[in-house]
Amino acid sequence: MANAATIGISLRDLYLFNKGSLYHSYRTFGAHPIRLDDAYGVRFTVWAPHAREVRVVGDFNGWHGERHGMELIGETGVWSLFVPNLGPGTVYKYEIHTLAGERLLKADPFAFQAELRPSTGSVVSEVFDYEWHDVEWQRRKQEVSPYHEAMLIYEVHLSSWRSWGKELFWTYEEIADSLVNYVAEAGYTHIELLPITEHPLDQSWGYQVTGYYAATSRFGNPKQLMYLIDRCHQRGIGVILDWVPGHFCKDDHGLRLFDGTPIFEGTDLKRAEKPLWGTLAFDFGRTEVQSFLISNAIYWMDVFHIDGLRVDAVASMIDLHFDKPPEMLTYNTFGGTENIDAIRFLKVLNETVFHYFPDALMIAEDSSSWPAVTSPTYMGGLGFNFKWNMGWMNDMLRYMALDPGERMRHHNLITFSLVYAFSENYVLPLSHDEVVHGKYSLLNKMSGSYEQKFAQLRLFYGFWMTHPGKKLLFMGGEWGQFDEWKYDEPLDWQLLAYPKHGSMHHYVKTLNRVYGEQSSLWERDCDPGGFEWIDVHNAAQSVIVFMRRGHSENDFSIVVCNFSARHYPEYRIGVPEPGQYRHALHSEAAAFGGALAHPQEVLYSSKTAWHGRPCSLTLDLPPLSFQLLVFAAGEHGRDRYSALPGMT
């Protein structure tokens, strides 16, 4: 048995790890370059409770571990060994001898770096000494509430945003020098990275993980990723990481049967198997697994300064029957289908993250109707602070695919979301999942002719941006990528040279800017008082009108959407205040690819009551158009705006 103190390991930490509450496990486990007595070397520590013997192997010993056997620390199931004269860059694995007499070569579950696939070794890496330059960003995060701030997320798959050619990836640093400026200049507030944890198969897009603590080596080393994140923060851009605690892949060098037994996935294969994805679910009831996963969430925020996690596939975690065939159905101890262990895990995860990082973003990608996902755990909720609104997304994409002449019979698809819009704190996602595998690109989902597709996408984006909820757009959507997303090819940047796509890009950047400037569009996203219908029932003409309100009395915007292919030259809408209104954005402006060379900038209300309001405006509604109006001045007041955003 090893003496833990002699190699710098706390027995109390191992006790907490076994109990499920060591939330900085990465400081103990993995490969750590340290000085022990007078020797510099690497301390290796791994959990393998049912192993007969564990050794460290690598180039340094010719991949034969006879001289580097690890020692078991008490009855913790934890093995450790200090190897002198090793340092960062050392490639290693654990040679695990099982009780059944097998010899397994396993990557380190806590490895901070991995070899570039197809190689599968772990790499010793020093990740704790990066010099950060984001103090101002960290200070600002503590002073604002994400619920009352603009949040416009640009979702990115690093391999295919840009590349030098097939499997010739840009480095994290090269991406930083281009992506950060692009995102900042386009008006996005955050980027969301598809999983960059180490994964063996490019086709999985990072969602089938083998190295939860290792940033993928496809783009460089961990400190290069830190540089990318640092650059984002210096430009005022937050960074969200797609995080995948719901399942892991079955590759031999990974977590599956790690010590010859199912210590990460659990012994009940009916619960462990994810047949839809060919993966395994974590055993959320196992305390050491809880320490492993919660520590991983903390690790990305602590060591890499990640601002938040988008937690993937929550529905698959909390439902024991999710995508399971009849022969694999199981029930909890009360006879229900809820995964009680997973629900408890998610609650502790969120409580722990917010304990250490109160300003973090914890966003649930949840397609279920589970209630109170974004309510605090002390109120019975799961404890996330945001949730993807999958219902809105599905309804709207179905609606936009309809011929405009059919829409009057499906008016509920654009209005129903407001019935539940404030039941959770929502993000409205237009994500990668909607533009792959035969689903068509967003532009190609729109019905109608080539011209109408662009008009409808501008309309759709306008409605999306002004609907309550934070926003997420997958890369390429900003210029109307026509083809589906291809994970192994760069985006079709050449489309920007074509007028229609270039105009769409200009429209989206302008829409982004207007969104950021109009506080009424985001200050009260989570407050029912921030939204009012003006005209909700006009299914016959497929027109809706609504108002968004900010905190100030006269901080409001009027949104008018004509989802029909008909022109309404004199359409009257009610408004709450007499005075002057200005167009902040008109989707049919020629600068955006529309038909109007000079959209009317200023409109004056009349005292004709309409839609239950004391005043009204008469608008020209082109077919398939979006208009955003702002209250500029009262009858006797001076202008609220000296310049008109979005109409340049």
Side-chain angles (χ1 to χ4, degrees):
M1 296 292 180
N3 185 334
T6 62
I7 52 176
I9 292 178
S10 163
L11 284 175
R12 180 178 181 276
D13 284 349
L14 298 188
Y15 170 80
L16 293 174
F17 176 77
N18 290 143
K19 292 295 183 181
S21 53
L22 184 65
Y23 299 137
H24 297 83
S25 300
Y26 50 89
R27 297 176 182 172
T28 298
F29 290 84
H32 290 263
I34 63 170
R35 179 172 293 278
L36 189 61
D37 297 329
D38 294 327
Y40 178 81
V42 176
R43 184 191 69 208
F44 298 91
T45 308
V46 67
W47 175 59
H50 304 125
R52 179 168 55 83
E53 183 182 1
V54 183
R55 303 169 178 175
V56 182
V57 296
D59 290 334
F60 60 90
N61 61 13
W63 296 91
H64 296 287
E66 294 87 351
R67 293 186 295 108
H68 292 99
M70 304 179 77
E71 295 186 78
L72 185 63
I73 301 175
E75 297 182 0
T76 63
V78 176
W79 303 73
S80 194
L81 176 69
F82 175 75
V83 181
N85 302 318
L86 297 183
T90 301
V91 178
Y92 71 99
K93 282 187 178 180
Y94 294 120
E95 179 184 291
I96 296 178
H97 296 258
T98 73
L99 294 175
E102 299 174 290
R103 174 182 174 271
L104 308 176
L105 284 180
K106 290 288 188 177
D108 188 346
F110 282 90
F112 303 133
Q113 189 175 345
E115 289 186 291
L116 177 63
R117 59 96 182 93
S119 297
T120 58
S122 300
V123 180
V124 177
S125 184
E126 179 55 82
V127 296
F128 299 99
D129 62 350
Y130 180 84
E131 185 178 345
W132 289 90
H133 301 89
D134 64 349
V135 174
E136 178 60 26
W137 170 260
Q138 300 297 345
R139 182 195 62 77
R140 184 183 179 278
K141 278 203 308 182
Q142 297 174 11
E143 297 176 351
V144 300
S145 165
Y147 308 107
H148 309 303
E149 291 289 310
M151 187 185 298
L152 178 54
I153 304 165
Y154 187 68
E155 188 187 29
V156 182
H157 177 253
L158 292 183
S159 296
S160 55
W161 188 72
R162 295 273 197 183
S163 73
W164 298 116
K166 190 172 181 62
E167 297 188 6
L168 297 174
F169 307 119
W170 283 27
T171 67
Y172 290 117
E173 290 174 321
E174 289 171 329
I175 293 167
D177 292 338
S178 183
L179 175 64
V180 176
N181 288 337
Y182 178 84
V183 169
E185 291 168 3
Y188 297 96
T189 64
H190 294 74
I191 62 171
E192 180 175 316
L193 302 175
L194 267 65
I196 52 170
T197 42
E198 195 57 80
H199 54 283
L201 183 64
D202 293 357
Q203 286 174 275
S204 79
W205 317 330
Y207 287 96
Q208 295 194 10
V209 180
T210 50
Y212 276 82
Y213 288 80
T216 179
S217 294
R218 287 168 176 80
F219 317 112
N221 62 51
K223 289 184 179 177
Q224 290 175 303
L225 173 58
M226 292 176 189
Y227 172 80
L228 167 58
I229 296 166
D230 206 4
R231 282 288 306 276
C232 286
H233 288 170
Q234 292 171 50
R235 290 297 302 274
I237 304 296
V239 182
I240 300 166
L241 174 65
D242 269 17
W243 189 60
V244 192
H247 63 124
F248 58 89
C249 61
K250 297 180 177 181
D251 292 56
D252 288 341
H253 68 284
L255 300 178
R256 176 178 174 267
L257 299 174
F258 185 77
D259 64 358
T261 66
I263 60 172
F264 284 96
E265 63 269 36
T267 57
D268 187 344
L269 284 181
K270 288 184 177 180
R271 293 196 178 188
E273 289 283 348
K274 295 274 193 179
L276 179 68
W277 299 321
T279 56
L280 294 168
F282 282 102
D283 180 0
F284 298 108
R286 180 139 196 176
T287 51
E288 292 89 352
V289 172
Q290 295 164 18
S291 287
F292 174 80
L293 286 174
I294 295 175
S295 291
N296 188 244
I298 298 297
Y299 169 79
W300 289 106
M301 296 182 184
D302 176 23
V303 179
F304 283 81
H305 288 204
I306 289 289
D307 300 291
L309 302 175
R310 176 268 203 184
V311 181
D312 182 61
V314 169
S316 77
M317 298 170 65
I318 62 179
D319 181 5
L320 291 171
H321 288 187
F322 185 89
D323 281 324
K324 294 288 181 78
E327 66 273 14
M328 294 185 68
L329 300 184
T330 61
Y331 298 86
N332 62 37
T333 53
F334 303 101
T337 63
E338 304 85 1
N339 188 333
I340 295 172
D341 291 333
I343 293 166
R344 185 182 298 116
F345 163 77
L346 290 171
K347 291 181 177 183
V348 176
L349 165 71
N350 286 316
E351 290 169 353
T352 306
V353 166
F354 289 123
H355 171 77
Y356 290 106
F357 299 96
D359 48 15
L361 298 171
M362 292 296 289
I363 305 170
E365 189 266 316
D366 176 27
S367 57
S368 77
S369 58
W370 190 269
V373 171
T374 58
S375 293
T377 57
Y378 62 80
M379 296 178 63
L382 290 184
F384 291 93
N385 52 3
F386 288 97
K387 171 184 172 174
W388 276 19
N389 192 335
M390 311 292 275
W392 172 89
M393 178 270 297
N394 284 314
D395 283 351
M396 281 308 303
L397 292 181
R398 179 184 166 197
Y399 183 81
M400 297 305 298
L402 292 171
D403 182 279
E406 294 292 316
R407 287 176 178 166
M408 65 181 69
R409 287 182 281 275
H410 301 275
H411 196 67
N412 63 299
L413 290 175
I414 52 173
T415 61
F416 179 65
S417 60
L418 271 303
V419 173
Y420 62 86
F422 305 102
S423 62
E424 303 276 7
N425 304 323
Y426 280 118
V427 174
L428 307 185
L430 300 174
S431 77
H432 66 279
D433 277 332
E434 310 318 315
V435 294
V436 294
H437 295 329
K439 293 183 178 180
Y440 302 105
S441 67
L442 289 179
L443 178 65
N444 218 6
K445 289 178 189 289
M446 305 295 115
S447 64
S449 67
Y450 182 77
E451 293 283 339
Q452 287 176 322
K453 285 180 181 292
F454 282 93
Q456 295 218 71
L457 189 59
R458 294 193 300 270
L459 164 61
F460 175 50
Y461 281 160
F463 177 61
W464 164 68
M465 194 69 82
T466 54
H467 187 288
K470 308 307 180 185
K471 313 296 186 292
L472 178 141
L473 179 65
F474 184 57
M475 62 184 197
E478 67 269 28
W479 63 71
Q481 174 105 356
F482 207 87
D483 287 344
E484 291 176 342
W485 168 55
K486 301 173 284 293
Y487 76 91
D488 56 350
E489 296 180 22
L491 294 176
D492 295 332
W493 292 93
Q494 68 274 11
L495 290 177
L496 289 173
Y498 292 83
K500 282 295 184 185
H501 296 278
S503 296
M504 178 63 73
H505 196 217
H506 176 48
Y507 174 73
V508 170
K509 288 196 294 184
T510 304
L511 181 63
N512 291 353
R513 177 165 58 85
V514 171
Y515 167 77
E517 292 169 346
Q518 300 299 327
S519 56
S520 60
L521 298 181
W522 38 262
E523 271 190 345
R524 302 177 71 181
D525 267 331
C526 307
D527 174 5
F531 178 91
E532 295 179 31
W533 281 115
I534 293 176
D535 187 2
V536 62
H537 297 301
N538 191 356
Q541 293 180 295
S542 298
V543 173
I544 58 170
V545 185
F546 60 88
M547 180 163 53
R548 295 297 309 277
R549 286 192 177 275
H551 289 310
S552 301
E553 181 180 357
N554 283 331
D555 182 15
F556 63 87
S557 305
I558 306 292
V559 177
V560 186
C561 297
N562 178 9
F563 288 100
S564 81
R566 297 186 295 275
H567 181 202
Y568 305 121
E570 294 185 349
Y571 193 92
R572 185 175 293 276
I573 66 169
V575 292
E577 297 287 343
Q580 185 182 108
Y581 290 77
R582 293 185 176 180
H583 269 116
L585 196 69
H586 196 309
S587 70
E588 276 300 289
F592 305 139
L596 299 180
H598 302 288
Q600 185 178 0
E601 285 193 15
V602 181
L603 301 99
Y604 297 91
S605 67
S606 73
K607 294 184 178 180
T608 303
W610 207 258
H611 291 143
R613 312 284 170 171
C615 310
S616 58
L617 298 171
T618 300
L619 300 176
D620 180 7
L621 301 192
L624 305 171
S625 65
F626 162 84
Q627 299 180 49
L628 177 64
L629 304 169
V630 296
F631 180 61
E635 287 182 304
H636 306 293
R638 68 183 174 84
D639 286 0
R640 292 179 63 227
Y641 300 99
S642 57
L644 186 61
M647 295 296 291
T648 56

